[in-house]
PDB file of all heavy atoms in Angstrom:
ATOM      1  N   HIS A   1       0.855  -1.192   0.000  1.00 97.00           N
ATOM      2  CA  HIS A   1       0.000   0.000   0.000  1.00 97.00           C
ATOM      3  C   HIS A   1       0.884   1.233   0.000  1.00 97.00           C
ATOM      4  O   HIS A   1       1.684   1.442   0.920  1.00 97.00           O
ATOM      5  CB  HIS A   1      -0.941  -0.031   1.196  1.00 97.00           C
ATOM      6  CG  HIS A   1      -1.848  -1.220   1.158  1.00 97.00           C
ATOM      7  ND1 HIS A   1      -2.854  -1.339   0.221  1.00 97.00           N
ATOM      8  CD2 HIS A   1      -1.856  -2.357   1.880  1.00 97.00           C
ATOM      9  CE1 HIS A   1      -3.475  -2.504   0.395  1.00 97.00           C
ATOM     10  NE2 HIS A   1      -2.873  -3.137   1.396  1.00 97.00           N
ATOM     11  N   THR A   2       0.766   1.996  -1.087  1.00 95.00           N
ATOM     12  CA  THR A   2       1.576   3.191  -1.307  1.00 95.00           C
ATOM     13  C   THR A   2       0.648   4.362  -1.630  1.00 95.00           C
ATOM     14  O   THR A   2      -0.533   4.145  -1.929  1.00 95.00           O
ATOM     15  CB  THR A   2       2.549   2.979  -2.487  1.00 95.00           C
ATOM     16  OG1 THR A   2       1.805   2.990  -3.715  1.00 95.00           O
ATOM     17  CG2 THR A   2       3.322   1.673  -2.371  1.00 95.00           C
ATOM     18  N   PRO A   3       1.177   5.585  -1.637  1.00 93.00           N
ATOM     19  CA  PRO A   3       0.347   6.725  -2.044  1.00 93.00           C
ATOM     20  C   PRO A   3       0.231   6.869  -3.561  1.00 93.00           C
ATOM     21  O   PRO A   3      -0.420   7.786  -4.044  1.00 93.00           O
ATOM     22  CB  PRO A   3       1.083   7.922  -1.434  1.00 93.00           C
ATOM     23  CG  PRO A   3       2.487   7.495  -1.319  1.00 93.00           C
ATOM     24  CD  PRO A   3       2.457   6.005  -1.092  1.00 93.00           C
ATOM     25  N   PHE A   4       0.819   5.953  -4.327  1.00 90.00           N
ATOM     26  CA  PHE A   4       0.873   6.069  -5.784  1.00 90.00           C
ATOM     27  C   PHE A   4      -0.289   5.294  -6.419  1.00 90.00           C
ATOM     28  O   PHE A   4      -0.337   4.076  -6.353  1.00 90.00           O
ATOM     29  CB  PHE A   4       2.215   5.569  -6.306  1.00 90.00           C
ATOM     30  CG  PHE A   4       3.383   6.098  -5.511  1.00 90.00           C
ATOM     31  CD1 PHE A   4       4.239   5.225  -4.853  1.00 90.00           C
ATOM     32  CD2 PHE A   4       3.604   7.460  -5.399  1.00 90.00           C
ATOM     33  CE1 PHE A   4       5.304   5.710  -4.113  1.00 90.00           C
ATOM     34  CE2 PHE A   4       4.665   7.956  -4.651  1.00 90.00           C
ATOM     35  CZ  PHE A   4       5.520   7.072  -4.003  1.00 90.00           C
ATOM     36  N   ARG A   5      -1.212   6.007  -7.036  1.00 92.00           N
ATOM     37  CA  ARG A   5      -2.424   5.387  -7.599  1.00 92.00           C
ATOM     38  C   ARG A   5      -2.233   4.857  -9.010  1.00 92.00           C
ATOM     39  O   ARG A   5      -2.921   3.940  -9.433  1.00 92.00           O
ATOM     40  CB  ARG A   5      -3.589   6.383  -7.580  1.00 92.00           C
ATOM     41  CG  ARG A   5      -3.937   6.905  -6.196  1.00 92.00           C
ATOM     42  CD  ARG A   5      -4.438   5.774  -5.310  1.00 92.00           C
ATOM     43  NE  ARG A   5      -4.659   6.238  -3.940  1.00 92.00           N
ATOM     44  CZ  ARG A   5      -4.068   5.735  -2.873  1.00 92.00           C
ATOM     45  NH1 ARG A   5      -3.225   4.746  -2.983  1.00 92.00           N
ATOM     46  NH2 ARG A   5      -4.313   6.208  -1.673  1.00 92.00           N
ATOM     47  N   THR A   6      -1.318   5.473  -9.771  1.00 87.00           N
ATOM     48  CA  THR A   6      -1.069   5.048 -11.149  1.00 87.00           C
ATOM     49  C   THR A   6       0.432   4.918 -11.359  1.00 87.00           C
ATOM     50  O   THR A   6       1.237   5.462 -10.577  1.00 87.00           O
ATOM     51  CB  THR A   6      -1.609   6.065 -12.174  1.00 87.00           C
ATOM     52  OG1 THR A   6      -0.832   7.266 -12.089  1.00 87.00           O
ATOM     53  CG2 THR A   6      -3.083   6.369 -11.935  1.00 87.00           C
ATOM     54  N   LEU A   7       0.841   4.253 -12.428  1.00 81.00           N
ATOM     55  CA  LEU A   7       2.252   4.114 -12.752  1.00 81.00           C
ATOM     56  C   LEU A   7       2.891   5.490 -12.959  1.00 81.00           C
ATOM     57  O   LEU A   7       4.036   5.717 -12.553  1.00 81.00           O
ATOM     58  CB  LEU A   7       2.424   3.239 -14.001  1.00 81.00           C
ATOM     59  CG  LEU A   7       3.839   2.798 -14.348  1.00 81.00           C
ATOM     60  CD1 LEU A   7       4.501   2.068 -13.204  1.00 81.00           C
ATOM     61  CD2 LEU A   7       3.825   1.933 -15.589  1.00 81.00           C
ATOM     62  N   ALA A   8       2.148   6.410 -13.543  1.00 81.00           N
ATOM     63  CA  ALA A   8       2.674   7.761 -13.760  1.00 81.00           C
ATOM     64  C   ALA A   8       2.945   8.482 -12.438  1.00 81.00           C
ATOM     65  O   ALA A   8       3.802   9.363 -12.372  1.00 81.00           O
ATOM     66  CB  ALA A   8       1.695   8.572 -14.615  1.00 81.00           C
ATOM     67  N   ASP A   9       2.228   8.121 -11.373  1.00 81.00           N
ATOM     68  CA  ASP A   9       2.445   8.728 -10.055  1.00 81.00           C
ATOM     69  C   ASP A   9       3.699   8.213  -9.359  1.00 81.00           C
ATOM     70  O   ASP A   9       4.228   8.860  -8.455  1.00 81.00           O
ATOM     71  CB  ASP A   9       1.257   8.439  -9.118  1.00 81.00           C
ATOM     72  CG  ASP A   9      -0.032   9.077  -9.571  1.00 81.00           C
ATOM     73  OD1 ASP A   9       0.010  10.085 -10.302  1.00 81.00           O
ATOM     74  OD2 ASP A   9      -1.099   8.546  -9.181  1.00 81.00           O
ATOM     75  N   CYS A  10       4.167   7.033  -9.756  1.00 81.00           N
ATOM     76  CA  CYS A  10       5.300   6.395  -9.078  1.00 81.00           C
ATOM     77  C   CYS A  10       6.602   7.121  -9.384  1.00 81.00           C
ATOM     78  O   CYS A  10       6.836   7.533 -10.523  1.00 81.00           O
ATOM     79  CB  CYS A  10       5.445   4.941  -9.535  1.00 81.00           C
ATOM     80  SG  CYS A  10       4.086   3.885  -9.046  1.00 81.00           S
ATOM     81  N   PRO A  11       7.469   7.248  -8.376  1.00 77.00           N
ATOM     82  CA  PRO A  11       8.805   7.782  -8.664  1.00 77.00           C
ATOM     83  C   PRO A  11       9.595   6.771  -9.488  1.00 77.00           C
ATOM     84  O   PRO A  11       9.268   5.587  -9.516  1.00 77.00           O
ATOM     85  CB  PRO A  11       9.415   7.949  -7.273  1.00 77.00           C
ATOM     86  CG  PRO A  11       8.680   6.994  -6.413  1.00 77.00           C
ATOM     87  CD  PRO A  11       7.302   6.868  -6.973  1.00 77.00           C
ATOM     88  N   ARG A  12      10.631   7.242 -10.183  1.00 71.00           N
ATOM     89  CA  ARG A  12      11.453   6.343 -10.994  1.00 71.00           C
ATOM     90  C   ARG A  12      12.159   5.324 -10.121  1.00 71.00           C
ATOM     91  O   ARG A  12      12.446   4.213 -10.550  1.00 71.00           O
ATOM     92  CB  ARG A  12      12.450   7.157 -11.815  1.00 71.00           C
ATOM     93  CG  ARG A  12      12.620   6.598 -13.190  1.00 71.00           C
ATOM     94  CD  ARG A  12      13.417   7.450 -14.141  1.00 71.00           C
ATOM     95  NE  ARG A  12      14.696   7.852 -13.631  1.00 71.00           N
ATOM     96  CZ  ARG A  12      15.093   9.116 -13.563  1.00 71.00           C
ATOM     97  NH1 ARG A  12      14.324  10.086 -13.974  1.00 71.00           N
ATOM     98  NH2 ARG A  12      16.287   9.412 -13.094  1.00 71.00           N
ATOM     99  N   ASN A  13      12.491   5.685  -8.906  1.00 70.00           N
ATOM    100  CA  ASN A  13      12.975   4.720  -7.927  1.00 70.00           C
ATOM    101  C   ASN A  13      12.566   5.217  -6.550  1.00 70.00           C
ATOM    102  O   ASN A  13      12.283   6.399  -6.356  1.00 70.00           O
ATOM    103  CB  ASN A  13      14.492   4.458  -8.048  1.00 70.00           C
ATOM    104  CG  ASN A  13      15.343   5.609  -7.586  1.00 70.00           C
ATOM    105  OD1 ASN A  13      15.235   6.050  -6.442  1.00 70.00           O
ATOM    106  ND2 ASN A  13      16.199   6.109  -8.463  1.00 70.00           N
ATOM    107  N   GLY A  14      12.514   4.312  -5.603  1.00 67.00           N
ATOM    108  CA  GLY A  14      11.987   4.632  -4.282  1.00 67.00           C
ATOM    109  C   GLY A  14      12.832   5.598  -3.482  1.00 67.00           C
ATOM    110  O   GLY A  14      12.378   6.139  -2.479  1.00 67.00           O
ATOM    111  N   ARG A  15      14.056   5.862  -3.906  1.00 76.00           N
ATOM    112  CA  ARG A  15      14.919   6.787  -3.180  1.00 76.00           C
ATOM    113  C   ARG A  15      14.703   8.237  -3.593  1.00 76.00           C
ATOM    114  O   ARG A  15      15.226   9.145  -2.975  1.00 76.00           O
ATOM    115  CB  ARG A  15      16.390   6.433  -3.404  1.00 76.00           C
ATOM    116  CG  ARG A  15      16.767   5.069  -2.875  1.00 76.00           C
ATOM    117  CD  ARG A  15      16.888   5.120  -1.359  1.00 76.00           C
ATOM    118  NE  ARG A  15      17.553   3.953  -0.837  1.00 76.00           N
ATOM    119  CZ  ARG A  15      16.940   3.037  -0.102  1.00 76.00           C
ATOM    120  NH1 ARG A  15      15.676   3.139   0.161  1.00 76.00           N
ATOM    121  NH2 ARG A  15      17.600   2.012   0.367  1.00 76.00           N
ATOM    122  N   GLN A  16      13.932   8.484  -4.643  1.00 73.00           N
ATOM    123  CA  GLN A  16      13.771   9.848  -5.137  1.00 73.00           C
ATOM    124  C   GLN A  16      12.904  10.743  -4.264  1.00 73.00           C
ATOM    125  O   GLN A  16      13.299  11.868  -4.018  1.00 73.00           O
ATOM    126  CB  GLN A  16      13.248   9.836  -6.569  1.00 73.00           C
ATOM    127  CG  GLN A  16      14.343   9.432  -7.531  1.00 73.00           C
ATOM    128  CD  GLN A  16      13.884   9.463  -8.960  1.00 73.00           C
ATOM    129  OE1 GLN A  16      12.741   9.166  -9.258  1.00 73.00           O
ATOM    130  NE2 GLN A  16      14.780   9.802  -9.838  1.00 73.00           N
ATOM    131  N   PRO A  17      11.743  10.328  -3.818  1.00 67.00           N
ATOM    132  CA  PRO A  17      10.969  11.262  -2.994  1.00 67.00           C
ATOM    133  C   PRO A  17      11.698  11.526  -1.677  1.00 67.00           C
ATOM    134  O   PRO A  17      12.189  10.600  -1.039  1.00 67.00           O
ATOM    135  CB  PRO A  17       9.658  10.533  -2.721  1.00 67.00           C
ATOM    136  CG  PRO A  17       9.624   9.372  -3.637  1.00 67.00           C
ATOM    137  CD  PRO A  17      11.041   9.075  -4.026  1.00 67.00           C
ATOM    138  N   ASP A  18      11.805  12.784  -1.315  1.00 69.00           N
ATOM    139  CA  ASP A  18      12.482  13.128  -0.068  1.00 69.00           C
ATOM    140  C   ASP A  18      11.633  14.141   0.676  1.00 69.00           C
ATOM    141  O   ASP A  18      11.466  15.255   0.195  1.00 69.00           O
ATOM    142  CB  ASP A  18      13.858  13.700  -0.371  1.00 69.00           C
ATOM    143  CG  ASP A  18      14.706  13.892   0.869  1.00 69.00           C
ATOM    144  OD1 ASP A  18      14.342  13.343   1.928  1.00 69.00           O
ATOM    145  OD2 ASP A  18      15.725  14.600   0.777  1.00 69.00           O
ATOM    146  N   PRO A  19      11.045  13.765   1.787  1.00 76.00           N
ATOM    147  CA  PRO A  19      11.221  12.484   2.453  1.00 76.00           C
ATOM    148  C   PRO A  19      10.400  11.380   1.785  1.00 76.00           C
ATOM    149  O   PRO A  19       9.418  11.658   1.097  1.00 76.00           O
ATOM    150  CB  PRO A  19      10.698  12.750   3.873  1.00 76.00           C
ATOM    151  CG  PRO A  19       9.664  13.806   3.687  1.00 76.00           C
ATOM    152  CD  PRO A  19      10.163  14.669   2.544  1.00 76.00           C
ATOM    153  N   ALA A  20      10.836  10.153   1.992  1.00 80.00           N
ATOM    154  CA  ALA A  20      10.133   8.999   1.426  1.00 80.00           C
ATOM    155  C   ALA A  20       8.787   8.843   2.122  1.00 80.00           C
ATOM    156  O   ALA A  20       8.713   8.879   3.345  1.00 80.00           O
ATOM    157  CB  ALA A  20      10.956   7.741   1.612  1.00 80.00           C
ATOM    158  N   PRO A  21       7.706   8.689   1.344  1.00 87.00           N
ATOM    159  CA  PRO A  21       6.396   8.536   1.976  1.00 87.00           C
ATOM    160  C   PRO A  21       6.278   7.198   2.703  1.00 87.00           C
ATOM    161  O   PRO A  21       6.852   6.198   2.257  1.00 87.00           O
ATOM    162  CB  PRO A  21       5.416   8.609   0.807  1.00 87.00           C
ATOM    163  CG  PRO A  21       6.212   8.222  -0.395  1.00 87.00           C
ATOM    164  CD  PRO A  21       7.625   8.637  -0.117  1.00 87.00           C
ATOM    165  N   PRO A  22       5.557   7.183   3.812  1.00 93.00           N
ATOM    166  CA  PRO A  22       5.340   5.910   4.506  1.00 93.00           C
ATOM    167  C   PRO A  22       4.430   5.005   3.689  1.00 93.00           C
ATOM    168  O   PRO A  22       3.497   5.462   3.044  1.00 93.00           O
ATOM    169  CB  PRO A  22       4.681   6.328   5.817  1.00 93.00           C
ATOM    170  CG  PRO A  22       4.064   7.656   5.538  1.00 93.00           C
ATOM    171  CD  PRO A  22       4.896   8.302   4.470  1.00 93.00           C
ATOM    172  N   CYS A  23       4.736   3.722   3.707  1.00 96.00           N
ATOM    173  CA  CYS A  23       3.962   2.716   2.980  1.00 96.00           C
ATOM    174  C   CYS A  23       3.716   1.538   3.928  1.00 96.00           C
ATOM    175  O   CYS A  23       4.337   1.442   4.981  1.00 96.00           O
ATOM    176  CB  CYS A  23       4.719   2.245   1.749  1.00 96.00           C
ATOM    177  SG  CYS A  23       5.113   3.554   0.559  1.00 96.00           S
ATOM    178  N   ILE A  24       2.827   0.651   3.518  1.00 98.00           N
ATOM    179  CA  ILE A  24       2.515  -0.542   4.306  1.00 98.00           C
ATOM    180  C   ILE A  24       2.667  -1.777   3.422  1.00 98.00           C
ATOM    181  O   ILE A  24       2.162  -1.821   2.301  1.00 98.00           O
ATOM    182  CB  ILE A  24       1.066  -0.502   4.862  1.00 98.00           C
ATOM    183  CG1 ILE A  24       0.887   0.648   5.839  1.00 98.00           C
ATOM    184  CG2 ILE A  24       0.665  -1.846   5.480  1.00 98.00           C
ATOM    185  CD1 ILE A  24       1.577   0.458   7.186  1.00 98.00           C
ATOM    186  N   ALA A  25       3.388  -2.761   3.941  1.00 98.00           N
ATOM    187  CA  ALA A  25       3.418  -4.098   3.333  1.00 98.00           C
ATOM    188  C   ALA A  25       2.469  -4.942   4.172  1.00 98.00           C
ATOM    189  O   ALA A  25       2.762  -5.249   5.327  1.00 98.00           O
ATOM    190  CB  ALA A  25       4.825  -4.667   3.342  1.00 98.00           C
ATOM    191  N   ALA A  26       1.302  -5.249   3.612  1.00 98.00           N
ATOM    192  CA  ALA A  26       0.273  -6.012   4.334  1.00 98.00           C
ATOM    193  C   ALA A  26       0.400  -7.483   3.957  1.00 98.00           C
ATOM    194  O   ALA A  26       0.210  -7.860   2.803  1.00 98.00           O
ATOM    195  CB  ALA A  26      -1.110  -5.480   3.990  1.00 98.00           C
ATOM    196  N   VAL A  27       0.729  -8.298   4.936  1.00 98.00           N
ATOM    197  CA  VAL A  27       0.921  -9.735   4.724  1.00 98.00           C
ATOM    198  C   VAL A  27      -0.382 -10.455   5.047  1.00 98.00           C
ATOM    199  O   VAL A  27      -1.008 -10.200   6.085  1.00 98.00           O
ATOM    200  CB  VAL A  27       2.086 -10.254   5.599  1.00 98.00           C
ATOM    201  CG1 VAL A  27       2.243 -11.749   5.469  1.00 98.00           C
ATOM    202  CG2 VAL A  27       3.375  -9.525   5.235  1.00 98.00           C
ATOM    203  N   ASP A  28      -0.813 -11.327   4.152  1.00 98.00           N
ATOM    204  CA  ASP A  28      -2.040 -12.089   4.361  1.00 98.00           C
ATOM    205  C   ASP A  28      -1.922 -12.961   5.617  1.00 98.00           C
ATOM    206  O   ASP A  28      -0.837 -13.473   5.926  1.00 98.00           O
ATOM    207  CB  ASP A  28      -2.330 -12.976   3.147  1.00 98.00           C
ATOM    208  CG  ASP A  28      -2.665 -12.172   1.892  1.00 98.00           C
ATOM    209  OD1 ASP A  28      -3.003 -10.977   1.998  1.00 98.00           O
ATOM    210  OD2 ASP A  28      -2.586 -12.769   0.796  1.00 98.00           O
TER     211      ASP A  28
END
């Protein structure tokens, strides 16, 4: 779960947004 709704919203790599937005890895 990320704040990026579309591929166009995604940064080219996860290190680019500063500060990096918080995300959740939800495990079943």
Side-chain angles (χ1 to χ4, degrees):
H1 299 291
T2 72
F4 314 120
R5 301 296 175 238
T6 68
L7 190 56
D9 295 336
C10 294
R12 219 171 52 235
N13 72 57
R15 297 284 194 248
Q16 286 182 325
D18 189 14
C23 300
I24 296 288
V27 176
D28 293 342

